[in-house]
Amino acid sequence: RIFVLFAAPIENELVWHESGIEGAVRFLQRVWRVVWKWKERVQGSRFKVQGEESSDSAGNRVQPPATAGGSDHARKLRQKTHKTIKRVGENFEALQFNTPVAALMELSNALTEFKVEPDGATEGEVFAVREAVEALALMLTPFAPHAAEELYAVVAGNENGIVANDARFPELNAELAKNDEIEIPVQVNGKLRVKIMVSPDIIDDELREKVMNDEKVQEYVAGKEIVKVIVVPRRLVSIVIKG
């Protein structure tokens, strides 16, 4: 089922090959291993402290620990989780079923590469992993329902299953899904010269100043008359020079 849905868009003809089945099996095995690796730490974990409040899949009120955003590892994992929730949700609405599998594979890889071991994880890091594996199990349900049920039971710490626990599609936190930085191309007289990394929340004046102070940009504009600087928010800066 994963292979069929992942191999091609639903409107395209499917080319069958055994390696696709093998890839789907390896993916499920990776997910299974990471869930069982964290089983003891994430089962039934609930945090009741001040902070961002949300609901888990069973409708219980859950608040991340104050340190959930403090660890760089935890922050990046939570960002990846919510970016995946956003991507999968949008794909479902557009009736695209192959690209969500790719997104779930990326989230699985992020969990596998999480540079914290269960025994040494802080409360915030455990929360980030729990959030990720629960979201992964729920979003995997349309593609591998039986495996998803088993995985969810491990995370939830009971045998009631997804439906009996009244689980829902993971709730998106748009703030957490934002990129830390975005890449802005800089053109000089219509030619791409530089790409700079900036905060997605940067205002136009700050972006213009950052671009004009960039050493590489200065190499192209030094000694030239700057006719105008055009800022397309979050997308492009275009510099027009003369001389």
Side-chain angles (χ1 to χ4, degrees):
R1 185 181 176 105
I2 288 177
F3 164 66
V4 169
L5 291 171
F6 175 60
I10 55 176
E11 66 273 13
N12 289 7
E13 183 176 333
L14 174 68
V15 178
W16 181 268
H17 52 88
E18 293 296 326
S19 61
I21 299 294
E22 294 168 3
V25 170
R26 287 196 298 270
F27 164 53
L28 288 177
Q29 288 174 338
R30 286 198 303 273
V31 175
W32 192 266
R33 284 195 296 268
V34 77
V35 170
W36 276 84
K37 174 182 177 180
W38 285 89
K39 173 185 175 183
E40 301 300 327
R41 294 301 308 271
V42 303
Q43 271 191 345
S45 57
R46 294 290 181 268
F47 300 103
K48 301 294 183 182
V49 296
Q50 294 301 313
E52 167 204 350
E53 185 175 336
S54 61
S55 298
D56 67 6
S57 58
N60 300 309
R61 303 306 295 173
V62 179
Q63 293 176 322
T67 55
S71 161
D72 189 54
H73 297 305
R75 180 183 59 79
K76 287 182 177 179
L77 181 57
R78 295 198 72 201
Q79 182 186 59
K80 185 64 176 178
T81 299
H82 287 272
K83 286 169 76 73
T84 305
I85 294 170
K86 181 175 187 291
R87 182 177 168 187
V88 172
E90 291 173 348
N91 290 156
F92 278 164
E93 290 178 5
L95 298 180
Q96 295 176 334
F97 301 112
N98 59 320
T99 46
V101 178
L104 296 179
M105 288 178 175
E106 292 176 12
L107 180 56
S108 170
N109 290 339
L111 277 162
T112 302
E113 296 164 5
F114 190 59
K115 297 185 183 303
V116 178
E117 291 300 315
D119 290 344
T122 65
E123 191 179 63
E125 288 161 347
V126 172
F127 180 91
V129 173
R130 157 115 196 175
E131 181 179 53
V133 295
E134 182 171 330
L136 180 56
L138 291 172
M139 290 187 289
L140 186 62
T141 304
F143 307 99
H146 301 291
E149 280 281 356
E150 293 291 335
L151 291 166
Y152 183 83
V154 173
V155 178
N158 64 58
E159 297 298 324
N160 294 336
I162 293 173
V163 175
N165 274 302
D166 195 28
R168 296 289 185 269
F169 189 86
E171 185 175 346
L172 170 67
N173 183 319
E175 285 299 312
L176 285 175
K178 285 183 178 179
N179 290 324
D180 292 331
E181 290 187 315
I182 56 175
E183 186 178 69
I184 301 292
V186 180
Q187 295 180 348
V188 179
N189 284 353
K191 293 183 178 180
L192 177 64
R193 296 300 189 185
V194 180
K195 292 181 180 180
I196 65 171
M197 303 302 295
V198 299
S199 165
D201 298 322
I202 193 169
I203 62 175
D204 290 357
D205 289 342
E206 291 177 351
L207 177 56
R208 184 180 292 105
E209 181 180 358
K210 185 176 180 67
V211 166
M212 297 310 298
N213 288 333
D214 185 85
E215 291 183 5
K216 292 184 178 179
V217 172
Q218 283 297 316
E219 293 176 6
Y220 292 101
V221 303
K224 307 291 195 314
E225 178 187 350
I226 298 175
V227 179
K228 58 183 173 180
V229 179
I230 303 169
V231 177
V232 181
R234 296 173 57 87
R235 293 185 59 189
L236 173 72
V237 175
S238 180
I239 303 170
V240 180
I241 61 175
K242 187 189 296 184

